Amino acid sequence: MAKETKGQVEQILTELGKKIDLLILETKDASKEVREDVEIKIVELKKRKKKVEADYNAYKDKNDDKWQDIKQHLVSAVNELKKAVETAFKDSKKK
């Protein structure tokens, strides 16, 4: 796996973690209803992020030579997770 690709995936995962943490901070002053709704989303986002990280690390360790075969699928999964975080941010700011 190319170092630049590894760095990109790791950077995206780090960015997602920071956005989830920021979302947690932003909801502390929100109404109870908003906090409860966002907390449910945060739990789901954390689960999805952990799964993507675990899948990435397992694959990276086992199949470095086959990285190009699944690169697009992993990038799609990470982008989907990123969109979910961004949607959660938008939803929390509206309420």
Side-chain angles (χ1 to χ4, degrees):
M1 178 183 321
K3 283 186 178 183
E4 65 188 50
T5 304
K6 286 181 187 178
Q8 289 173 344
V9 172
E10 290 166 355
Q11 181 181 1
I12 290 170
L13 291 171
T14 299
E15 179 184 333
L16 289 172
K18 288 178 182 179
K19 285 188 176 189
I20 290 170
D21 291 342
L22 183 59
L23 184 60
I24 292 167
L25 288 174
E26 286 185 359
T27 59
K28 286 188 179 191
D29 296 331
S31 68
K32 182 179 179 183
E33 180 182 313
V34 171
R35 277 194 320 267
E36 289 172 352
D37 183 46
V38 173
E39 285 175 7
I40 292 168
K41 290 179 182 180
I42 288 169
V43 168
E44 181 60 31
L45 290 171
K46 284 183 176 184
K47 286 179 186 176
R48 291 172 66 186
K49 180 181 177 281
K50 282 184 180 183
K51 172 135 178 44
V52 169
E53 285 177 323
D55 290 349
Y56 167 71
N57 288 327
Y59 188 84
K60 178 179 72 170
D61 293 342
K62 289 182 181 178
N63 301 299
D64 198 48
D65 59 327
K66 296 180 183 178
W67 169 246
Q68 295 303 319
D69 292 339
I70 65 119
K71 177 182 172 185
Q72 187 58 42
H73 295 290
L74 181 57
V75 170
S76 295
V78 170
N79 286 334
E80 181 183 325
L81 182 57
K82 186 175 180 179
K83 287 178 186 178
V85 170
E86 290 170 353
T87 299
F89 269 108
K90 288 177 187 175
D91 290 346
S92 70
K93 288 181 180 180
K94 288 180 182 178
K95 295 182 180 181

